[in-house]
Amino acid sequence: QVQLVESGGGSVQSGGSLRLSCAASGYTYYSPYSMGWFHQAPGKEREGVAAIDSNGGTTYAESVKGRFTISRDNTKRTLYLQMNSLKPEDTAMYYCARARFTWSPLSIRSTDFGYWGQGTQVTVSS
C-alpha cells in the first residue's frame, strides 16, 4: 500500500530555515502523481501549503509564497519542502500527501489528495 514518510521537522527560531522530506513507497509509478504539503495547527483545520505536479509545475498558499519552495526528485521518490524565513505562525504539523489520481489537477485542496503521511512537527519560536 502507499506509504509516505515525512522527516526534517524540528524547532527553530523565527527567521530560521528547515527542509522537510517525504519518502514515498508502495506504488509503482511515482512521477505521474502530483504531490503536496499541508499543515495543521492545534485547533485549526488542515491547510494546503504547496503542491507540485508531474511536470514540475507548482502552486503555493499565499502565506508562504516567496519563503517556501516545493521540489521533487523522481529518481529518489522523494518530495521536499524548503522553508525559509520561518515565522511563529508557521508552527504546525506538516503532512505530505499524494494525489488521488494521475489526472488530479494541481491544487492545494485536501480533497484532491488521497494518501497522507503521519506528519512531522515544525515549531517556530519568536
Side-chain angles (χ1 to χ4, degrees), residues 2 7 11 17 19 26 28-29 35 39 44 48 57 59 70 76-77 80 83 90 94 101 103-104 115 119 125-126:
V2 175
S7 61
S11 296
S17 297
R19 188 194 196 203
T28 303
Y29 300 108
M35 301 291 294
H39 68 194
K44 295 189 176 181
T59 187
I70 189 171
K76 295 182 179 179
R77 301 174 64 98
Y80 302 100
M83 305 187 295
D90 295 319
Y94 281 72
F101 309 108
W103 58 87
S104 294
Y115 300 90
S125 58
S126 57

Side-chain angles (χ1 to χ4, degrees), residues 64-120:
V64 306
K65 280 183 180 178
R67 299 189 298 123
F68 291 10
T69 302
I70 189 171
S71 62
R72 62 192 295 167
D73 185 333
N74 291 333
T75 61
K76 295 182 179 179
R77 301 174 64 98
T78 302
L79 179 72
Y80 302 100
L81 185 68
Q82 178 66 44
M83 305 187 295
N84 298 329
S85 303
L86 281 161
K87 304 175 181 180
E89 50 264 44
D90 295 319
T91 295
M93 187 72 79
Y94 281 72
Y95 298 91
C96 166
R98 198 207 81 175
R100 292 182 183 276
F101 309 108
T102 57
W103 58 87
S104 294
L106 177 62
S107 84
I108 50 173
R109 293 187 301 267
S110 60
T111 52
D112 287 324
F113 293 82
Y115 300 90
W116 300 84
Q118 294 298 306
T120 186

